[in-house]
Amino acid sequence: IASKLLITGNGKCNICNSRVSEKGHYSSFETDRLDTLSKNFDPEKLIAFFKGLGLSLKERDGYYYPVSNQARSVYAVLSNALKKASVKVITDKYIDKISKSDGGYTIDGKNYDAVVLAVGGRAGIYKENAFSGRELIKSLDLKSSRTFPALTGAVCVGDYKTLKGVRVDAGVSLYADDKLIAKDTGELQFADYGLSGIPVFNLSSHVPYDYKEAYFEVDLFPENTEEELKNMLSDIKAMYPKYRAINALAGFTNINILKYALSKAGIHEDKLMENVADKDLDSLALWCKKSKHPMERLREYKNAQIMAGGILLSEIDDNYMCIHHKNLYITGEALDLNGECGGYNLYFAFESGYEVGQKLAK
Ligand SMILES: Cc1cc2nc3c(=O)[nH]c(=O)nc-3n(C[C@H](O)[C@H](O)[C@H](O)COP(=O)(O)OP(=O)(O)OC[C@H]3O[C@@H](n4cnc5c(N)ncnc54)[C@H](O)[C@@H]3O)c2cc1C
């Protein structure tokens, strides 16, 4: 129970974000339905709910975590509440069919007045035979959008071994078939397979279905123009004509990035600055502002935080009830509603679960 919850936020569980009701933090194939549903998002309600269960929360820059810094605390208060309300919990039981019975539903030979489909997604799961809602969704004839791993890194074409582990604040833009799809800024991480870090994670949810070629454009100096970088580099050249490039430029950027960028600009790191052509310094400035990283593919589900896409939002009403099946509710990641990194996905899973719970309790 709650096995995914326990690994969220690196075990610290980023449970909510104060910006959930602001536009732009969620995406869906059905933007109109997304706008309607998200109108009711209210972080205060969820925070009050968890505080009411005895969970101490802290907030930094809008990101909410348990004071304990342990996802286990979230699990503990939920588990206490279930016990207190004498809720019967059955685990390790795979459900592959929900059939309609007289005014309700039959699951595994038992009848129920209402059902909540909270089957989540395949992200972050290493087990081959992990439970999934695919068969259930099919058996209920629910329409879904395409699904794909998101909030994940991108495997890029090129040799990234020397950049592995480098973290740098950067602007990152996603292009598909030469069209700008989305951009984000934040801490970019280089990995041996390509690009990672929050801006790449957030952009991964926007990779179009049918692209032929996609690439990331990285701006390592989001606060400077290309012209300013060119001037900085020519000032350094004037200051240190007799220095090797690698030494003269040591303060310009991260040393591993510098080595990589020098080779991309065709400048040997041992070359004396006075012998480096101005046009090569311009190429260095250009690479630092607009390096291109062709994407081979996104990483697999086991390395992703969410499964993007899912059951269409037009399959539910504003109370998360399925429009074809009375008293069958759908919540959380099973729906085609994807949040950015930062507590948005757990917020939605809890918010939708809370709303349905309140309704069913009446
Ligand atoms: C590594 C990692 C870190 C993350 N960190 C954060 C974070 O810090 N903040 C944040 O907001 N989000 C985070 N997320 C995303 C967040 O965990 C999910 O969006 C959220 O857990 C979705 O909740 P859910 O209840 O909809 O689905 P899930 O948590 O996926 O739960 C679905 C449950 O349904 C069960 N199930 C599925 N099919 C069946 C079936 N047929 N029969 C029986 N049972 C079934 C599954 O076994 C599972 O227990 C992270 C995800 C990962 C993988």
Side-chain angles (χ1 to χ4, degrees):
I1 185 167
S3 53
K4 197 180 281 183
L5 180 71
L6 293 174
I7 57 165
T8 55
N10 285 326
K12 293 182 190 163
C13 187
N14 181 192
I15 196 170
C16 180
N17 194 300
S18 61
R19 290 172 279 261
V20 290
S21 50
E22 291 172 14
K23 253 185 170 317
H25 299 291
Y26 290 96
S27 59
S28 166
F29 284 95
E30 296 176 304
T31 42
D32 294 356
R33 288 292 297 129
L34 171 65
D35 288 348
T36 321
L37 273 182
S38 58
K39 266 196 194 113
N40 297 324
F41 289 4
D42 175 6
E44 294 304 326
K45 208 161 51 180
L46 187 72
I47 292 158
F49 168 72
F50 272 111
K51 285 191 172 161
L53 294 184
L55 182 71
S56 326
L57 287 169
K58 61 179 177 186
E59 182 258 353
R60 203 172 301 135
D61 296 334
Y63 298 78
Y64 281 86
Y65 289 89
V67 166
S68 65
N69 267 340
Q70 289 180 308
R72 185 153 288 282
S73 307
V74 183
Y75 166 74
V77 296
L78 289 170
S79 166
N80 286 345
L82 285 174
K83 276 192 203 124
K84 190 164 179 246
S86 305
V87 175
K88 187 173 175 196
V89 179
I90 302 166
T91 59
D92 292 325
K93 180 91 200 152
Y94 179 66
I95 307 297
D96 61 354
K97 200 166 175 224
I98 297 176
S99 18
K100 281 194 174 173
S101 54
D102 261 358
Y105 296 91
T106 303
I107 301 174
D108 204 30
K110 292 203 176 69
N111 294 331
Y112 299 91
D113 296 333
V115 171
V116 184
L117 203 64
V119 288
R122 293 157 63 199
I125 297 172
Y126 281 78
K127 285 189 289 183
E128 274 302 314
N129 55 350
F131 288 177
S132 121
R134 262 177 299 180
E135 283 175 56
L136 280 179
I137 292 166
K138 226 160 84 188
S139 78
L140 290 162
D141 219 8
L142 298 170
K143 287 194 200 79
S144 296
S145 66
R146 71 158 178 136
T147 52
F148 60 102
L151 300 193
T152 188
V155 178
C156 295
V157 183
D159 185 1
Y160 287 87
K161 285 190 194 74
T162 55
L163 290 176
K164 183 184 167 188
V166 173
R167 292 164 182 243
V168 62
D169 286 335
V172 186
S173 306
L174 168 68
Y175 286 83
D177 300 325
D178 283 328
K179 203 172 123 212
L180 176 66
I181 305 296
K183 50 186 177 178
D184 198 16
T185 48
E187 193 184 63
L188 173 72
Q189 288 179 34
F190 288 94
D192 52 2
Y193 57 79
L195 303 180
S196 180
I198 294 197
V200 175
F201 276 29
N202 285 338
L203 293 177
S204 67
S205 303
H206 299 277
V207 172
Y209 175 51
D210 48 357
Y211 74 90
K212 289 189 184 68
E213 277 180 341
Y215 65 89
F216 294 93
E217 188 178 273
V218 171
D219 179 358
L220 294 167
F221 287 82
E223 283 168 25
N224 297 97
T225 63
E226 193 181 323
E227 217 39 50
E228 283 170 341
L229 291 194
K230 285 181 183 171
N231 291 337
M232 277 160 73
L233 291 169
S234 79
D235 287 351
I236 293 171
K237 179 177 171 179
M239 227 178 337
Y240 300 116
K242 302 286 179 204
Y243 277 55
R244 290 158 59 220
I246 191 74
N247 289 341
L249 297 167
F252 183 62
T253 182
N254 172 289
I255 189 70
N256 290 355
I257 291 184
L258 178 65
K259 285 182 176 191
Y260 195 85
L262 283 172
S263 77
K264 289 283 173 190
I267 302 171
H268 195 286
E269 56 183 64
D270 290 332
K271 206 171 203 178
L272 296 185
M273 282 304 274
E274 63 186 1
N275 297 330
V276 176
D278 289 344
K279 71 168 181 31
D280 290 343
L281 283 183
D282 289 353
S283 304
L284 181 61
L286 180 66
W287 192 87
C288 288
K289 280 302 284 177
K290 288 181 180 174
S291 62
K292 236 183 176 188
H293 304 263
M295 187 178 89
E296 200 178 300
R297 59 176 171 84
L298 291 175
R299 297 192 84 205
E300 301 85 359
Y301 275 110
K302 63 182 179 199
N303 305 113
Q305 288 195 5
I306 59 163
M307 180 179 84
I311 301 168
L312 292 179
L313 297 180
S314 51
E315 294 285 89
I316 53 163
D317 66 16
D318 293 349
N319 298 310
Y320 302 99
M321 190 170 84
C322 184
I323 55 169
H324 310 293
H325 307 292
K326 195 164 180 259
N327 290 333
L328 186 131
Y329 296 83
I330 310 170
T331 64
E333 204 179 298
L335 287 164
D336 167 33
L337 192 151
N338 323 307
E340 288 183 340
C341 284
Y344 297 96
N345 289 296
L346 279 177
Y347 170 78
F348 178 63
F350 284 127
E351 142 69 21
S352 50
Y354 175 83
E355 297 299 339
V356 172
Q358 291 289 308
K359 185 148 191 276
L360 291 179
K362 275 183 194 158

